[in-house]
Amino acid sequence: MCGIIGYIGKQKASPILLNGLQRLEYRGYDSAGLAVLEKGQFNALKRTGRVENLRKPVLAADSQARLGISHTRWATHGGVTEANAHPHVSWDGRLALVHNGVIENYKAIKRELEAKGIEFKSETDSEALVNLIAYFYNLELKESGKSHKQALLQALRTALYQVEGTYGIGIMCTDLPEHMIGARKGSPLVIGVGKGENLLASDVTAFAGRTQNVVYLSDGQIAYLSEEDFEITNIDAETVSPHIDTISWDIEDAELGAYPHYMLKEIFEQPMAIENAMRGRFSQDGSTAQFGGLNIDPRELRQIDRILFLGCGTAWHSCLVAEYLIEKYARIPVEVEYASEFRYRNAPLDKNTLVFTVSQSGETIDTLEAQREAKRKGYRVLGITNVVGSTIARENDGGIYQHSGPEIGVASTKAFTAQVHIAAMLALYLGRMRDMSFSEGIQIVNALKKAPGMVAQVLNQTEHIKEIAERFAEKSDYLFLGRQAMFPIALEGALKLKEVSYIHAEGYPAAEMKHGPIALISPECPTVAFAMKSEIFQKSLANVQEIRARKGPVIAITDAGKDFPADLADAVIEIPEAHEVVQPVLASIPVQLLAYYTALARNCDVDKPRNLAKSVTVE
Ligand code: AGP
């Protein structure tokens, strides 16, 4: 939430910052702002709304400055106004700051500073932070005779000791025109190490096209950057030796290419994302999966008698699929909990419990804190994450990278199906360690390998799904019903539709409909019903009948082919008949496309839905 990027180098800073901001915009898009340091003073421009609104005035100003910081905001404290947009300049004009995170005790800090005569111009928590640092900086300069660098770093440390909450910050100081400072606690911050230039950002996507060499900062670290160099210290002023990572994806992976929206691009990237999730992950005899990064001895894994999955939003839905598949195929009891609930609930866990956190971004604060809580209690925590080097990935005991490539659309699509596919592979892996036979293992491996081709088959129906979406786009409510592993897909379908089209939608286990949601059924409330061939196929059909009897329009998603009675639904989307472990992935594609085309028909901004941000790094 909120994206920050800073630049120091030989080039003009403003265009580089604008491009970086554009790439970070999925983190928040309430307002955008940029400040450069030139001739001893800050020149700042801010606009409410999108980065695009900032582009014109910034380019018109044509600043020659080689140092700047910028920010795209997801509003937390204070409304969406230019005054509340970042960067914030300290009352004395000496410091400029961009901030991602929340300063929880900002009111107390603000009160104390106001009592000393310091005036505030915004309603934000971030301005309290910049004024606090500036306050200590002035004291340091007066009292100690230190250099500007020493005084500022000391002031920063003193201030950071006082603040409660989370921050990823970038700072410029008029006294240090050749330097930029960053610090983090609880919000991500990465250094981009370039040639004759260095960058600072909340996410590596901001560096696309400039550098693939990055240093992930850890909580409590402070970075001091010049164009040729950087140094990292911790909050106690001890030097930290940096580890430079190289990011593996290319600039094109984060570009739209020929697609109108990232959401559509990412939906169509799913065959590849699923292929990547499987690459090198099947045993030589083809009967099980293997995961290089779990860092857990198979004998130890064999002792596990319970698994707890933690995640938020769409990732939580993939955890639910994992529950169905692992319990069925590995016979290990699985529990799924919202990370936000787990972290404060003090749930009793058995000593043989293995914890999995699932997160596309690897930065979701609730998932990260839930992981920390589980680790604090001594549990082994593994992760399923997409973003390599993210905080969750770095802090857990091991895990599985999704390799889905950058996901930019706020609505998660390819990351979800990759997580679901990995859950199926995990069910196979754990199952083969227990009672699953060699031949069943072979069968499941073969089924999993066919998934990318089958996903492509579903994608071939895009035009058909688009037509259905447009037919029902004016409705104001939707129900999604599914049984067993289709229940999480029903939840996911409802979430996707809500997120991007703003239609009220609810997902339910199909049989639960009769216990309340059936009251919603009317010609104005379509139902998306999953009817998969299985031992309970007839039960699913019976639920569809009940909706039809009440004049509710039905969009059926089925793998039953001719066995699905054609007159039972207003629209039918057929998916290929597949092994049960692949069904959840295949059934996800139509609901993603349905949400996408419904949003388009309603003129919604699919990649940047209102009020949302891709990476939820505040509580
Ligand atoms: C998905 O469409 C949502 N934007 C959201 O629910 C998301 O899945 C959730 O915030 C968790 O994100 P993470 O996977 O990056 O942790």
Side-chain angles (χ1 to χ4, degrees), residues 312-315 358-362 364 367 410-412 419 492 495-496 499 613-614 616:
C312 300
T314 284
V358 182
S359 172
Q360 186 286 128
S361 62
T364 300
T367 313
V410 166
S412 183
Q419 285 163 0
E492 175 61 6
L495 179 68
K496 281 296 85 99
E499 257 188 314
K614 179 79 179 157
V616 183

Side-chain angles (χ1 to χ4, degrees), residues 109-122:
I109 295 172
K110 190 170 175 176
R111 258 196 316 273
E112 273 181 39
L113 293 174
E114 280 175 335
K116 294 180 198 307
I118 292 172
E119 277 180 30
F120 281 71
K121 297 177 220 90
S122 79

